[in-house]
Amino acid sequence: MAGRARGGAAPQQRCPSCGSPVINELVGQWAALNVIADLTPLTPEQQEQLREPNRLIWCLRTNSLGHKRLFWVESWHPPDCRTGAHVADHLCPPAAPTTLF
Ligand SMILES: [Zn+2]
Ligand SMILES: [Zn+2]
């Protein structure tokens, strides 16, 4: 299911464990952090639930060239942030025995 692959776009990958689409990027000015984040934007309710120290929320912005970049949310961004979609560090979902669609 490869979508349109545009040259130069940030590599989008899949989690080797669960197959979810993720973005893998080095973030940070001083000590770069290797971040694997979900590509699915969080709803405001999910962001409230995820406000815990162990899981970071990132502001995923797409520039005019279509490059996706993760920005560290240093101060609180509104849940309906206009500059980017808010995504969280990727955690594999618990293994589900069956998937109902
Ligand atoms: Zn934001
Ligand atoms: Zn995973």
Side-chain angles (χ1 to χ4, degrees):
M1 274 204 284
R4 317 172 271 158
R6 286 207 266 160
Q12 287 174 22
Q13 300 158 9
R14 285 184 178 274
C15 173
S17 302
C18 69
S20 297
V22 292
I23 182 168
N24 184 200
E25 197 176 292
L26 287 172
V27 180
Q29 298 169 300
W30 305 285
L33 198 62
N34 189 19
V35 176
I36 299 178
D38 284 325
L39 279 173
T40 311
L42 299 165
T43 65
E45 296 80 43
Q46 287 173 317
Q47 289 177 51
E48 280 298 322
Q49 290 166 5
L50 287 173
R51 289 189 73 187
E52 50 173 289
N54 293 332
R55 204 162 175 203
L56 294 171
I57 289 181
W58 305 93
C59 198
L60 180 66
R61 301 178 191 168
T62 307
N63 71 11
S64 56
L65 296 174
H67 291 227
K68 287 186 164 60
R69 292 291 311 274
L70 292 168
F71 286 83
W72 195 306
V73 176
E74 293 178 53
S75 53
W76 176 239
H77 284 209
D80 59 346
C81 180
R82 287 167 177 263
T83 50
H86 286 179
V87 297
D89 280 342
H90 174 67
L91 284 181
C92 293
T98 51
T99 311
L100 298 174
F101 277 112

